[in-house]
Amino acid sequence: FMENLLEKDTLTGAFVIVHQDSLLKLLINTPRTSKGTIYKGYRVQLFSSNTAKTAKERAFAIEKRVLQKHPDLAIYVSYNAPFWKVRVGDCTTYNAATKLRQYLVKEFPDLQTEIYIVPDQINIK
């Protein structure tokens, strides 16, 4: 649909300029399958720690920060002993995960050393 908007009209030569957030473009271009399907894909990990005294608290603080800026972004906090992890997104391709990672590094520069792409089971809605 978006590609059709960007093409010039054959009769008038008119075209549409679309201004949108890069995350919206990423979400629109992420391939989807049927509702509720669990699929092999990728997520972007923002945090992982096994520090017993602080890891859980920090994981939920990071989740809160992300949700405040992006309430519609899928975020997952998990505990797999001894690690607390925070992962974001349900990307069906590595390319989509790369774009999401780049966006998150810009949005949360203080976490950039911890942000990387991981293969994961993803939810497709």
Side-chain angles (χ1 to χ4, degrees):
F1 174 74
M2 295 300 286
E3 292 81 22
N4 292 340
L5 284 178
L6 300 175
E7 293 179 13
K8 285 187 178 183
D9 181 77
T10 55
L11 296 175
T12 65
F15 61 95
V16 175
I17 298 175
V18 178
H19 299 276
Q20 66 187 18
D21 187 279
S22 58
L23 182 58
L24 179 60
K25 184 177 181 181
L26 173 69
L27 293 173
I28 289 170
N29 291 328
T30 300
R32 305 249 184 252
T33 61
S34 62
K35 285 189 172 189
T37 302
I38 295 177
Y39 191 77
K40 288 184 180 182
Y42 303 92
R43 290 199 171 124
V44 178
Q45 186 162 292
L46 300 178
F47 174 76
S48 177
S49 177
N50 65 349
T51 306
K53 293 182 180 182
T54 60
K56 180 179 179 180
E57 183 179 311
R58 186 151 180 243
F60 284 107
I62 290 169
E63 176 194 36
K64 184 178 179 180
R65 279 180 60 199
V66 173
L67 286 174
Q68 284 175 340
K69 276 191 155 183
H70 304 288
D72 295 331
L73 194 58
I75 183 164
Y76 304 91
V77 176
S78 64
Y79 178 71
N80 189 0
F83 287 92
W84 281 93
K85 297 178 181 182
V86 178
R87 294 181 175 177
V88 176
D90 288 309
C91 302
T92 57
T93 66
Y94 192 84
N95 188 40
T98 299
K99 290 177 183 176
L100 179 57
R101 183 192 176 281
Q102 291 168 345
Y103 178 80
L104 292 168
V105 166
K106 282 190 238 176
E107 287 289 301
F108 305 99
D110 59 310
L111 299 175
Q112 68 183 342
T113 59
E114 298 185 61
I115 298 176
Y116 59 95
I117 299 167
V118 293
D120 206 343
Q121 294 289 321
I122 62 170
N123 303 310
I124 303 295
K125 297 176 184 168

